[in-house]
Amino acid sequence: MSSDTGESGRQGRGQGRHQDVLPLLAGVAVAVGAVGAMLALTDITSPLRAPFVLFFLLAAPGAAIGACLEGLDPWGRAVAAVSGAVAVDLLTAQALLALHTWSVRGGVVIVGLLSALIHLLTLMRRLRRRTARRRTS
């Protein structure tokens, strides 16, 4: 790289590193969530079980809800996604308690299924929108 790149060259490299780190952090988040779900479903005792399961219970529905809210700014999307994740968790716990079927495994499975359903509905909506654009153009 030449020395005449100046200030703009330094900013460009910094942005590139920042953009390279985001997929890595997303991968780590998915791995931590998957380990948390696995620890809860297999009933393995570990000091990491509680924080990893809590991370899964917040991150799975939060990511699915955040994917639905593509029109919001990043901070608004984050606040809405976290609030929605807490609401999904609380409604799941309330339903399991009302039905007298409370279990940690059941809660993790239901939250995972609801998150997958929300995410699939978002993907279907995007595909339908893309198909409608192709037909009109």
Side-chain angles (χ1 to χ4, degrees):
M1 184 172 228
S2 65
S3 62
D4 62 316
T5 58
E7 189 66 30
S8 63
R10 276 183 250 147
Q11 287 177 351
R13 284 189 311 224
Q15 277 185 329
R17 288 183 193 154
H18 179 68
Q19 289 174 350
D20 291 343
V21 171
L22 290 178
L24 177 66
L25 289 176
V28 169
V30 168
V32 169
V35 168
M38 187 261 322
L39 288 173
L41 295 175
T42 58
D43 204 25
I44 296 175
T45 56
S46 169
L48 296 176
R49 179 179 173 184
F52 282 16
V53 170
L54 180 62
F55 181 80
F56 171 78
L57 291 174
L58 289 174
I65 293 170
C68 292
L69 305 173
E70 55 194 23
L72 291 178
D73 62 35
W75 285 108
R77 181 188 282 190
V79 169
V82 170
S83 301
V86 171
V88 166
D89 293 340
L90 290 175
L91 290 172
T92 300
Q94 184 177 1
L96 288 174
L97 287 171
L99 296 171
H100 302 290
T101 57
W102 171 251
S103 72
V104 174
R105 287 181 188 165
V108 168
V109 168
I110 290 174
V111 167
L113 289 175
L114 287 173
S115 300
L117 179 66
I118 293 169
H119 195 67
L120 286 174
L121 290 173
T122 302
L123 290 175
M124 287 175 39
R125 184 182 69 183
R126 287 181 186 170
L127 287 174
R128 193 172 347 132
R129 210 181 299 154
R130 185 180 301 162
T131 305
R133 280 190 213 145
R134 287 183 184 167
R135 288 182 185 166
T136 59
S137 30

